[in-house]
Amino acid sequence: MRETLDILWTYRQEFRAGLLVTLQLCAYIWTIGIVGGTLLGVAAASWRRSIGTVSRAASYVLSGVPVLVLLFWLHYPLQMTFDFDLPPFYTAVAALSIINVIAVSEAVRRALEDFPRQFLSAARVCGIGPRQTVLRVQLPLVFRQVLPPVLFAQIATLQATLFASLISVDEVFRIAQRINSQVYRPVQIYSALAVLFLAVCLPMHAAATFLKARYTRDYSER
Amino acid sequence: MLKGSALHKSYGNQGAVLKGVDVEIAPGTITALLGSNGCGKSTLLRALALIEPIDSGTVTIDGTAYDASVDAGKGVPSPWPTVTVVFQQLFLWPHLRVRDNIALPQSQRDDPMAAGRFEELVQIFKLEELVDRYPNELSLGQRQRVALARAVAVRPTYLLLDEVTSALDVEQVTSLLAYLKTLRGEGLGILLITHLIGFARESADRVLFMSAGRVTEEGDASILSAPRTRELARFLAVLDPSEPVPNGVPAVCAS
């Protein structure tokens, strides 16, 4: 453990730079995924036959495509075919954002489609207007249903940023590989990497699990 | 007056559920709606509350006619909460505490007496210990009391109750009966779906009996002692086999 911490301290500048790139990747992917996925999910629930069908089909197809294949396909064949050159960082952002948008949109679509309309009827007959019904009844309930799966999806995309190292993005895993190639201390270096990821992922995972247990409950009460 | 005229409703695979039902609920009266499961009672209640568009028919609330086949949310004036409903499944909002389940609808109205009304209802429905709990922390009987309080809190003119006595004990049914009579005295028109014949007999000014999508018998509570139709006689015999079954219908047929 001490050696692991020593490695982290000795190469703190490099790890910090790599972690910064990883966090930048995440900032893009999370923002695009949450905003784009929410909009797509709402549209898919609103227009089930058109956008909903496309969204479900995209989700089905993507579930059969490994992240790495999508990443490489966007990085090599697509850019060669259409003759353009996208920096690897943005290629990684694009690939992981597609996955994140679809994951978030599916969570939002399901929560909206499964939402018991009777809660809205109960609000209507109590004289609550449409706007207040959405703000005070529908949004809070949908948000509680959506939050845990969305958090789990963000953890998964954070972990998937490691694949960006394979197309030469200098994120934290690539930095760790580079340090290892210089000092050859794989146990300590990859343990240090694990510590970094655990420090970020575990609190997120704990929060998602807590929210899921607390809020994602059976609407039918008991 | 809350009036439904020529209400028709069909579901795809079930056929017609309402076959031209006419019904009137006068202010200051309690009307009990009886009938077997699946005869259309809850559909009629939702149609009268204008929360389920039906195939055809008109609902008139205090002189304002609504086309019951279109979404009443687009109608002006809004029929709610002049007419309000306590659903069989209650549908308390699970993310809100009992206090907020009752106070949220109140907050939408310009009612200077809302706070006093809230306290009064909490006392009437014995919710003092429950106001800070969430619905999923309550028993079914407690949730039914909260749903009733929520509905009454918005001061409706017509209150439609769908099987709200199903999980109440005898004492609670008795106190509900007393409270419904108080509301009737305050001018509320109440439509009550129930399977408790004694409750209907005690509380109702009028009794409607539905069978296969039609109101087949109606009158005052005396029809529960002397039914005129075989359907009602059979229905009563099933609920209470000790009741005499007139018109020569043996009780065993009913069951």
Side-chain angles (χ1 to χ4, degrees), chain B residues 4 28 36-37 42 68 78 86 115 122 133-134 149 152 154 165 174 197 204 211:
Chain B
S36 311
N37 289 337
S42 294
S78 166
V86 178
V122 164
R133 294 200 205 163
Y134 287 99
V152 174
V154 294
T165 51
T174 307
I197 299 301
S211 176

Side-chain angles (χ1 to χ4, degrees), chain A residues 119 124-125 136 217 221-222, chain B residues 71 84 94-95 136 143:
Chain A
F119 286 126
R124 286 177 113 186
V125 297
R136 302 291 304 272
R217 59 186 176 217
E221 297 169 3
R222 255 194 309 240
Chain B
D71 189 347
T84 197
H95 62 300
N136 71 332
R143 289 206 299 270

Side-chain angles (χ1 to χ4, degrees), chain A residues 68 127 165 169 180:
Chain A
L68 204 52
S165 67
V169 177
N180 189 46

